[in-house]
Amino acid sequence: MNLTSKQIKTINKLEHHLFALFKDEASGHDFGHIKRVVGLTTRLLHEPADAFIALVVAYLHDVFDDKLTITSLSFDVLMTQWGIDLEDSHEQIERDIKTIGYKGGYQTPSRSLEATIVSDADLLDSMGAIGIARAFYYAGFKGLPFHDDTLMGVVATNYDDYRNLKRNAIAHFDEKLLKLKDAVVTPKAKKMADQRHQILKKFYDDFYQELHEGSIIQYFEHDK
Ligand code: ADP
Ligand code: NI
């Protein structure tokens, strides 16, 4: 990966500050998610993408997110208080960050190559075993049941519902997780997405199979 030593220092400083900011965040946007998206981004990076831009976007992609509790960070704070030098990429970075986020699939902005790579990395982290863990963790955090019979079939069909509708955690598989395989764009990410999709699908099928097995009360007649 092509980075100048100054850029490496900037990235390290950014990570240090973000770690401090995110260590108390519990909505599933924990620092671990950020680090995985950064790690996946480095695996997916390919020419002619600018590595510095992609990495900074990966680190910051959830920091200004609409549903996060962190509201104190701004580019101003980032550059002046933290002393992060985004060189001449500030504008592209800010633009790119706004294009990341699945948002229920209801908004599909056009993305730069760097943002496309980070978006794929972000989507991959919602898939597979980690994706399953995150979905149930998020639902628990939001006070949503993982499965309540009376909410069967309730799925979000617009962005507002996607954020606010009361529904089962497993519904998130129908509205988002099982669609991600087709939302991933870059070739390497597609390959990884195929594997992670299998894990999601197997879990989903097993989940309903087990619900079914537990749904019928067996009475044993016991005549004297
Ligand atoms: P998005 O990427 O759709 O904007 P987030 O990624 O910010 O949403 O959500 C954080 C994590 O929680 C992701 O793994 C996402 O799949 C999961 N998640 C989001 N909404 C729900 C929901 N209603 N139920 C279960 N999991 C959810
Ligand atoms: Ni994210």
Side-chain angles (χ1 to χ4, degrees):
M1 217 184 347
N2 282 327
L3 293 172
T4 64
S5 56
K6 176 166 172 264
Q7 289 174 330
I8 292 173
K9 277 194 194 129
T10 302
I11 300 270
N12 287 340
K13 197 196 282 185
L14 184 58
E15 172 164 332
H16 172 83
H17 282 284
L18 284 175
F19 178 71
L21 192 63
F22 269 83
K23 66 182 190 315
D24 302 319
E25 175 63 38
S27 68
H29 277 119
D30 50 295
F31 192 64
H33 168 63
I34 305 229
K35 287 293 295 271
R36 288 190 301 274
V37 172
V38 170
L40 288 166
T41 295
T42 64
R43 294 179 65 161
L44 301 178
L45 261 176
H46 60 83
E47 293 293 330
D50 181 305
F52 180 67
I53 293 180
L55 282 178
V56 173
V57 172
Y59 272 106
L60 294 177
H61 81 277
D62 274 331
V63 175
F64 309 107
D65 194 304
D66 55 348
K67 57 194 184 323
L68 282 188
T69 49
I70 296 165
T71 49
S72 56
L73 193 65
S74 64
F75 270 93
D76 213 32
V77 169
L78 197 90
M79 293 189 294
T80 55
Q81 293 184 24
W82 292 7
I84 302 293
D85 181 4
L86 299 178
E87 303 179 353
D88 53 7
S89 308
H90 174 186
E91 278 181 14
Q92 192 196 326
I93 288 169
E94 199 162 345
R95 225 178 311 123
D96 282 350
I97 289 168
K98 292 200 183 108
T99 69
I100 313 284
Y102 183 70
K103 303 190 171 72
Y106 301 106
Q107 298 162 25
T108 39
S110 67
R111 297 186 175 105
S112 69
L113 175 58
E114 291 79 10
T116 302
I117 290 170
V118 177
S119 168
D120 280 359
D122 193 31
L123 297 184
L124 282 173
D125 201 52
S126 296
M127 302 180 74
I130 297 262
I132 295 168
R134 290 181 74 212
F136 287 95
Y137 184 82
Y138 179 96
F141 177 76
K142 285 280 204 169
L144 298 169
F146 76 84
H147 187 269
D148 173 343
D149 267 348
T150 64
L151 293 173
M152 273 282 254
V154 179
V155 285
T157 54
N158 58 58
Y159 184 57
D160 192 45
D161 280 358
Y162 182 68
R163 285 293 175 227
N164 303 310
L165 187 69
K166 179 162 188 216
R167 60 207 193 277
N168 290 324
I170 195 74
H172 193 61
F173 283 63
D174 299 292
E175 62 198 21
K176 176 182 176 189
L177 304 186
L178 294 172
K179 295 178 185 168
L180 292 180
K181 177 171 75 65
D182 300 317
V184 162
V185 178
T186 61
K188 199 164 176 191
K190 273 186 172 296
K191 231 174 139 186
M192 293 175 76
D194 279 341
Q195 286 172 357
R196 292 183 184 212
H197 181 79
Q198 299 298 321
I199 293 166
L200 291 173
K201 185 76 175 70
K202 166 96 170 59
F203 177 89
Y204 182 86
D205 292 343
D206 286 348
F207 184 96
Y208 279 107
Q209 174 62 28
E210 290 174 19
L211 271 187
H212 176 70
E213 287 165 8
S215 68
I216 301 147
I217 299 171
Q218 300 263 6
Y219 291 103
F220 298 99
E221 281 185 32
H222 169 287
D223 293 332
K224 286 190 189 132

